[in-house]
């Protein structure tokens, strides 16, 4: 395997993806890149470069000069942050993607991973067991950018043969690196507050069901999709990935089994409208059929893992 770069390696997914890829290949092959001055501590044992994905020429030179074959492009503004700065969110989420797609079109890059999200769906989408192909009318700037990104990925695959692969991640839950400004962040924060204070005020209402997934499963899915033979992949926009579906009340009950004194209260804010526009649960049968996807962590196993590892 040639060299791989992870752009946005300093974030919630990037940190754990860098760790996992460095375990699978040799450390020197996996280059972490981010706009931050320094790599997070967890990934300081391998190559790191400070890179702004919006600096098209710098990104092009680095990738061409270093003969990078695979790019994981993770840099983006997430749903809640994007609503506060829609112009910049659109710029960041789209321009970086075109820079990488064009490098692949010109033959410099062989394979791309670019993540999409359940945010591509909107209020008119069937909310339960949302199918792969369905109505998609996202109502957030983040969702619009992800849906447009998916369309461009499929276009570059069909027109220019670019090997780009993508997953519509649900909300991701992890303890190694904090989340970066999404609507599903409450499902991480709740564990930290439960351990620290025994109390949590949730910014979503108690019965808001959303699809979520433990990070280990998301990383495994990502690597599995990237390793899958190209001729098995029917989807070149982005694959649905289901995970576990739960409400704040349900995750609080799961935590209470371990910490009986834990208390949750609810103060919904602007993120409630975003969550209300997203599906409750996702059908990921295409991922199961095309690259043998199987979920590993249910709610009980994820709760135990989070509570044991947060100190
Ligand atoms: P994050 O916010 O934790 O990390 C993003 C990283 O990108 C940060 O380290 C940030 O410093 C970096 N970055 C920002 N601007 C940059 C720039 N101009 N140049 C280079 N780096 C820059 O986000 P995440 O949760 O790790 O998400 C990664 C990707 O996965 C995003 O595209 C996101 O939309 C997608 N996604 C995430 C989730 C989730 O629950 N975490 C769910 C669905 C999709
Ligand atoms: C967010 O809440 O913005 C992300 C996502 C589901 O894309 N976690």
């Amino acid at each position: 395997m040639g060299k791989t770069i992870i752009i946005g390696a300093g974030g919630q997914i990037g940190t754990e993806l860098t760790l996992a890829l460095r375990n699978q290949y040799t450390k020197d092959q996996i280059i972490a890149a981010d706009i931050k001055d320094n790599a997070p501590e967890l990934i300081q044992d391998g190559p790191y470069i400070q890179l702004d994905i919006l600096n098209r020429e710098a990104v092009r030179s680095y990738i061409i000069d270093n003969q990078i074959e695979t790019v994981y492009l993770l840099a983006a503004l997430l749903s809640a942050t994007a609503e506060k700065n829609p112009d910049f969110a659109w710029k960041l989420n789209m321009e970086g993607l075109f820079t990488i797609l064009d490098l692949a079109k010109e033959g410099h890059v062989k394979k791309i991973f670019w993540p999409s999200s359940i945010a591509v769906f909107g209020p008119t989408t069937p909310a339960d067991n949302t199918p792969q192909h369905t109505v998609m009318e996202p109502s957030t700037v983040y969702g619009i950018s992800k849906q447009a990104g998916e369309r461009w990925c499929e276009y570059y695959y069909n027109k220019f043969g670019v090997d780009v692969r993508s997953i519509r991640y649900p909300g991701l839950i992890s303890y190694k690196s904090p989340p970066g400004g999404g609507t599903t962040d409450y499902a991480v924060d709740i564990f930290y507050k439960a351990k620290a204070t025994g109390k949590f005020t949730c910014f979503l209402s108690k019965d808001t069901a959303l699809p979520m997934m433990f990070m280990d499963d998301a990383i495994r899915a990502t690597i599995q999709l990237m390793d899958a033979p190209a001729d098995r992949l029917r989807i070149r926009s982005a694959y649905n990935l289901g995970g576990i579906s739960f409400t704040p009340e349900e995750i609080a009950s799961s935590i209470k089994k371990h910490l009986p004194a834990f208390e949750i209260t609810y103060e919904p804010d602007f993120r409630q409208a975003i969550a209300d526009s997203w599906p409750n649960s996702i059908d990921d049968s295409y991922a199961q059929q095309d690259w043998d996807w199987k979920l590993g962590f249910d709610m009980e196993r994820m709760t135990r893992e989070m509570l044991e590892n947060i100190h």
Side-chain angles (χ1 to χ4, degrees), residues 97 112-121 130-134 136 145-155 157 164-170 225 233-242 282-287 290-291:
L97 177 59
I112 300 170
F113 179 81
W114 170 84
S116 185
S117 160
I118 54 163
V120 292
F121 300 115
T130 302
Q132 176 71 40
H133 302 290
T134 185
M136 293 165 82
S145 74
K146 289 296 181 187
Q147 196 200 21
E150 284 192 10
R151 298 287 86 228
W152 280 110
C153 287
E154 192 184 89
Y155 185 87
Y157 171 74
V164 53
R165 303 172 182 209
S166 179
I167 286 174
R168 292 172 183 154
Y169 289 129
L225 172 61
L233 303 181
R234 287 174 292 172
I235 305 294
R236 291 296 184 152
S237 50
Y239 278 91
N240 271 12
L241 205 59
I282 300 280
D283 170 13
D284 60 15
S285 44
Y286 274 79
D290 289 9
W291 38 280

Side-chain angles (χ1 to χ4, degrees), residues 7-8 10-14 34-36 51-54 74-76 78 92 115-117 142 146 169-172 178-180 184:
I7 303 175
Q12 189 193 11
I13 300 176
D34 203 285
I35 198 166
K36 293 173 182 165
L51 204 55
D52 178 357
I53 188 63
L54 291 177
L74 306 180
L78 276 74
L92 177 63
S116 185
S117 160
Y142 176 66
K146 289 296 181 187
Y169 289 129
L172 300 182
T184 58

Side-chain angles (χ1 to χ4, degrees), residues 12-13 77-82 115-120 140 142-143 146 168-173 179-186 203 210-212 271 274 278:
Q12 189 193 11
I13 300 176
L77 282 199
L78 276 74
S79 58
T81 318
S116 185
S117 160
I118 54 163
V120 292
T140 61
Y142 176 66
K146 289 296 181 187
R168 292 172 183 154
Y169 289 129
L172 300 182
I173 298 175
T183 303
T184 58
D185 291 13
Y186 91 84
F203 59 72
L210 287 173
M212 303 277 187
R271 289 167 282 194
I274 301 177
W278 289 353

Side-chain angles (χ1 to χ4, degrees), residues 156-182:
Y156 270 66
Y157 171 74
N158 285 331
K159 288 273 173 179
F160 313 118
V162 167
D163 189 354
V164 53
R165 303 172 182 209
S166 179
I167 286 174
R168 292 172 183 154
Y169 289 129
L172 300 182
I173 298 175
S174 65
Y175 59 85
K176 290 184 188 158
S177 188

